[in-house]
Amino acid sequence: MKYRIEHDSMGDVEVREDRLWGAQTQRSFDNFRIGAGLELMPIEIIRSLALLKLASAEANAELCPERMTAEKLSAIRSACEKIISGELDDHFPLVVWQTGSGTQTNMNVNEVIANYANREAGKKLLHPNDDVNMSQSSNDVFPSAMHVSALVSIENALIPALSELIGELRRLEEENEGVIKCGRTHLQDATPIRFSAEISGWRSSLEKDLQMLNYAKETLSSIALGGTAVGSGLNAPRGFDTLVATKVSALTHIPFLSAENKYHALSSKDELVFVHGALKALAADLMKIANDVRWLASGPRCGLGEITIPENEPGSSIMPGKVNPTQCEAMTMVCLQVMANDVAVGLAASQGNFELNVYMPVCAYNFLQSCRLLADAMRSFRANCVAGIKANTDRMQSYLSSSLMLVTALNTHIGYENAAKIAKLAYSEGITLKEAAEKLGLLTPEEFDAIVRPEKMV
């Protein structure tokens, strides 16, 4: 394997000839063999950093044209577009478990941009620090990348997947409008409900989650760029912060603003905690829905069996013919991971010291994993489970007709205590509510039939 010599302020370093990174990336690659090859810096962060480098170069070209020449801007743009498109993914080898500021990943991006551009130009056109990192610091670029990647992930992946699932539930709700079944509270029989009403509860929960997510995500629209090392803006030209936010907005088609207080933007991660709280709320509702579905589908003969779900794969290596609610299981595992990630994001955000938070990579890693997992899981759950849910109306009717809680309809006619006597007698003697009411002399069969009508109780 061939190597070349790269140089930084600490001296010379050998780098593989076929890699575009430089000395600082190589040092991090050598020094942080923690989760190597498995827990890399999220690619969403890498692409957001490239986008911020392009926006910064465009702003610098307007504010400092003598330093950011048209030739340099063109070279940076070409390299950044390659990164954003995914063509250079193999040149970002660094793990999450590195410096807490993300400096080494910032330099990884700077070096790849510079080396790619220099190879294309056939000369030393760009310097990773002086040109690609102009008017920036890792301390303001990395938190900006966290906000950009988080908001882009929510807008482009999470919200579409959530909206599609809501739409599928709305279709299922309409399909089951006339189906009546037994309701349940405390895992015990309760009064009748429409199956469509039960589904509407699932749909409404997700719609509320979407509302909360749309509200919370707006806090991510402020970015730290322009604060540079400690929030003072040292080495950035006047007006850079607002201009670069405009450039980022144009590139992402999502409105971004310069953070009002850069000292806060560098040291606090409260916006990410707040938005991840909305992700956790979504995970809590998805957990409930997935558990409801697998309870209702339990069986097929010895469970509730009120619905059927698609049979996607064999469920057992020893029990022939067994099929399991695997999409529900995958969804609930994802929800647990998101809830665990919420703890990590909150703890990471609490570790800001003075002018910087140095737990940013782990915060970003967990936040983006939550977005990615939730989006993927909702799409899988919708396509491979919810879309194929069918009501077992015979089973629903059987449970409904034998439910003791139909007795609730009698409360306003014979009183709670008399109704309770009917239910207890029916249960203890294994007879119907109608038979118990007649046996106790509280109602005639005709009176019972006139009052206890499940379709009127929903």
Side-chain angles (χ1 to χ4, degrees):
M1 188 174 295
K2 293 183 178 180
Y3 291 85
R4 69 180 190 278
I5 299 297
E6 287 280 345
H7 179 84
D8 63 9
S9 60
M10 295 181 69
D12 293 342
V13 179
E14 282 191 339
V15 177
R16 278 176 52 175
E17 183 62 38
D18 63 342
R19 297 305 183 200
L20 290 171
W21 64 72
Q24 291 196 49
T25 303
Q26 189 64 45
R27 292 186 194 281
S28 179
F29 185 73
D30 293 338
N31 292 336
F32 294 95
R33 302 231 176 228
I34 306 170
L38 297 175
E39 293 168 343
L40 300 181
M41 187 64 69
I43 200 64
E44 298 97 330
I45 289 287
I46 301 299
R47 292 173 184 166
S48 293
L49 284 169
L51 185 145
L52 295 172
K53 299 298 172 182
L54 175 53
S56 297
E58 290 178 347
N60 283 323
E62 291 187 27
L63 299 171
C64 310
E66 71 284 355
R67 293 177 59 203
M68 181 56 66
T69 64
E71 183 184 18
K72 289 182 177 180
L73 173 58
S74 177
I76 290 174
R77 176 178 287 111
S78 178
C80 289
E81 288 173 350
K82 290 286 185 182
I83 295 172
I84 293 167
S85 70
E87 294 180 57
L88 301 180
D89 285 357
D90 290 343
H91 300 278
F92 301 99
L94 301 187
V95 295
V96 173
W97 319 109
Q98 52 164 281
T99 175
S101 63
T103 298
Q104 291 148 1
T105 287
N106 180 45
M107 284 308 304
N108 185 188
V109 173
N110 289 335
E111 289 173 346
V112 169
I113 292 171
N115 283 333
Y116 178 86
N118 292 340
R119 286 188 182 184
E120 291 294 301
K123 61 180 180 180
K124 288 286 185 180
L125 175 63
L126 298 179
H127 187 281
N129 298 83
D130 296 336
D131 298 310
V132 186
N133 203 58
M134 185 189 299
S135 306
Q136 306 152 60
S137 163
S138 300
N139 297 351
D140 67 344
V141 173
F142 199 88
S144 297
M146 292 170 71
H147 278 212
V148 170
S149 60
L151 192 47
V152 168
S153 295
I154 289 169
E155 290 280 15
N156 295 346
L158 188 63
I159 286 178
L162 176 53
S163 298
E164 290 165 8
L165 180 54
I166 290 170
E168 193 67 54
L169 288 172
R170 185 176 290 109
R171 179 202 62 76
L172 190 65
E173 182 182 346
E174 293 169 356
E175 183 180 289
N176 289 279
E177 179 59 36
V179 178
I180 301 174
K181 53 162 287 185
C182 184
R184 293 182 179 86
T185 59
H186 304 270
L187 296 182
Q188 304 294 306
D189 302 346
T191 55
I193 60 170
R194 287 188 174 89
F195 184 36
S196 58
E198 188 166 44
I199 299 167
S200 77
W202 302 340
R203 172 187 53 77
S204 183
S205 294
L206 297 185
E207 287 174 339
K208 291 289 185 183
D209 293 323
L210 180 57
Q211 290 174 11
M212 291 186 285
L213 188 58
N214 278 323
Y215 174 77
K217 73 178 184 182
E218 296 304 319
T219 62
L220 297 172
S221 63
S222 64
I223 54 176
L225 268 177
T228 67
V230 294
S232 65
L234 179 66
N235 289 352
R238 184 178 297 276
F240 174 81
D241 56 350
T242 55
L243 181 57
V244 78
T246 301
K247 301 293 185 182
V248 173
S249 300
L251 290 168
T252 60
H253 306 293
I254 297 172
F256 283 96
L257 300 170
S258 179
E260 184 177 349
N261 188 305
K262 305 299 190 298
Y263 300 99
H264 164 268
L266 268 62
S267 61
S268 174
K269 298 292 155 276
D270 51 7
E271 297 97 339
L272 289 155
V273 174
F274 183 58
V275 181
H276 200 280
L279 301 185
K280 181 173 70 172
L282 172 58
D285 281 329
L286 288 169
M287 174 77 81
K288 189 267 185 195
I289 292 167
N291 276 330
D292 280 358
V293 169
R294 63 175 169 176
W295 272 106
L296 292 173
S298 60
R301 292 188 174 179
C302 300
L304 293 179
E306 288 193 344
I307 64 173
T308 59
I309 57 177
E311 298 183 350
N312 296 321
E313 61 274 319
S316 174
S317 61
I318 188 174
M319 293 176 280
K322 194 173 192 298
V323 180
N324 297 328
T326 51
Q327 289 294 321
C328 298
E329 292 164 6
M331 174 61 83
T332 53
M333 286 192 288
V334 162
C335 293
L336 287 182
Q337 185 63 59
V338 172
M339 292 174 188
N341 287 351
D342 192 70
V343 176
V345 169
L347 290 175
S350 74
Q351 297 304 305
N353 299 122
F354 304 115
E355 280 65 62
L356 188 66
N357 179 290
V358 290
Y359 284 66
M360 288 192 286
V362 70
C363 184
Y365 179 76
N366 283 278
F367 189 103
L368 292 170
Q369 185 192 53
S370 291
C371 287
R372 195 182 314 115
L373 288 178
L374 285 170
D376 289 349
M378 284 190 290
R379 284 204 170 94
S380 181
F381 186 60
R382 175 190 59 78
N384 298 310
C385 183
V386 177
I389 288 176
K390 298 295 180 185
N392 184 345
T393 53
D394 289 342
R395 184 70 68 91
M396 288 181 177
Q397 182 58 42
S398 174
Y399 287 146
L400 182 62
S401 62
S402 63
S403 172
L404 296 177
M405 290 306 100
L406 294 177
V407 78
T408 307
L410 300 177
N411 285 0
T412 56
H413 295 273
I414 61 174
Y416 181 94
E417 291 191 11
N418 281 332
K421 290 177 183 177
I422 293 173
K424 289 179 180 179
L425 180 65
Y427 181 67
S428 63
E429 295 191 6
I431 59 178
T432 67
L433 291 173
K434 185 192 298 187
E435 291 168 339
E438 184 180 16
K439 189 170 185 178
L440 288 169
L442 293 170
L443 291 166
T444 67
E446 293 75 21
E447 289 172 327
F448 184 93
D449 287 338
I451 298 169
V452 181
R453 299 176 61 186
E455 70 275 9
K456 298 293 186 181
M457 298 175 68
V458 295

